[in-house]
Amino acid sequence: MRDQQQATPAAVAGPAQALDMLTAALRYLSSVDAASLPTATQADVLKALEQAESRQTVARSRMLTAFSAQRGHEDDGLGSPRMWLTFHTRTTRHAATGSMGWMRRLAAHPAIEAALAAGRLSTSWARQFCDWTGRLPADHRDDADRILCRAAADGADLRGIADLAQQMYERTCTADEDEDDGFRDRWFRLGVTFRGAGRAEGDLSPGCAAALGAVLDALGKRAGPEDMRTVAQRHHDALEDAWRWL
């Protein structure tokens, strides 16, 4: 795909005009008859929208950083930027927390922020890169981010980049950090949603991940040819069944 044309700063009079242009572009793309477009055009749009999401993540994070530093939430009588996002942008608390997380994440990973702003990295890959290099000592982190971003720009796939990140981890971490094996970074959160349903998320230590994987493998098998559950559904049911053995 050809490189996306970017308007120079002089071509945009200010934030209001930029937002008008953004709204007009998204309104057009969300209402166009996608099925009538050639597949090559569909592919171009999909790639460009992925780049737009990367740039949006940077724009939102930079704006939120300035808004937080100037304590703009207090002008509306709210106690935190996250509360302001929840109330004024009508997002869930989970989504607002995610936005705050990106703000802090990109502040700690400027090379990844630059790759996102240039549209060279997807948000999902950027999040994975931050997780990998976040385990490294602080004085190695920026160089590691640049190496991973360069590998992505050169066409490496995620599996290959994961191997590269693991090599950097093994070369730079001290024996104490190796013994910790990511344990200090562990976390798990279970949120209760509508009618008691739950949403789980977290970063598990290798031992915990292996234990959970063993449970899912043992209890998540198909019950027979009549078992039409998806893999994800079987894993859910395996997790529920596991507690009955406690």
Side-chain angles (χ1 to χ4, degrees):
M1 183 183 70
R2 68 181 186 279
D3 190 29
Q4 300 299 313
Q5 296 289 330
Q6 296 186 50
T8 62
V12 180
Q17 184 182 3
L19 291 174
D20 286 342
M21 295 166 63
L22 176 64
T23 299
L26 292 176
R27 182 179 291 125
Y28 171 81
L29 290 173
S30 63
S31 60
V32 70
D33 182 7
S36 68
L37 301 175
T39 56
T41 300
Q42 295 166 354
D44 280 352
V45 171
L46 290 171
K47 293 175 183 178
L49 287 174
E50 198 66 38
Q51 292 179 335
E53 182 180 355
S54 297
R55 293 183 171 110
Q56 179 203 6
T57 298
V58 174
R60 183 181 58 221
S61 297
R62 289 179 178 174
M63 200 65 64
L64 188 53
T65 296
F67 185 78
S68 300
Q70 296 172 21
R71 307 189 70 80
H73 54 278
E74 294 182 352
D75 294 342
D76 289 316
L78 294 171
S80 70
R82 183 177 63 81
M83 291 176 61
W84 188 93
L85 286 171
T86 302
F87 185 79
H88 282 281
T89 66
R90 301 183 69 82
T91 58
T92 65
R93 184 168 57 180
H94 177 78
T97 299
S99 295
M100 297 297 297
W102 271 113
M103 178 189 75
R104 290 186 287 268
R105 191 175 297 117
L106 294 185
H109 297 269
I112 290 178
E113 181 188 49
L116 282 171
R120 295 193 301 265
L121 196 64
S122 69
T123 53
S124 57
W125 278 33
R127 173 64 187 269
Q128 185 64 80
F129 289 7
C130 290
D131 288 346
W132 285 333
T133 61
R135 301 170 61 200
L136 302 179
D139 56 339
H140 292 278
R141 198 168 296 151
D142 193 53
D143 285 342
D145 285 340
R146 294 179 188 279
I147 291 171
L148 297 190
C149 289
R150 189 179 307 119
D154 289 341
D157 61 19
L158 196 59
R159 183 183 296 274
I161 297 174
D163 291 341
L164 180 60
Q166 182 63 29
Q167 291 172 23
M168 290 191 291
Y169 176 78
E170 293 171 353
R171 292 174 182 172
T172 58
C173 289
T174 65
D176 289 341
E177 288 170 325
D178 285 336
E179 290 173 2
D180 177 74
D181 202 16
F183 188 67
R184 282 174 294 184
D185 296 327
R186 73 197 188 281
W187 67 279
F188 181 81
R189 181 184 300 117
L190 177 63
V192 178
T193 59
F194 184 63
R195 292 183 177 176
R199 178 181 294 276
E201 58 178 343
D203 287 326
L204 308 182
S205 67
C208 182
L212 179 57
V215 169
L216 298 180
D217 289 342
L219 301 179
K221 295 182 174 64
R222 291 184 64 187
E226 71 285 354
D227 187 351
M228 303 302 292
R229 294 174 299 168
T230 65
V231 173
Q233 288 170 339
R234 295 202 309 271
H235 283 176
H236 168 277
D237 296 346
L239 191 60
E240 184 176 19
D241 289 342
W243 307 128
R244 298 173 184 171
W245 293 91
L246 297 179

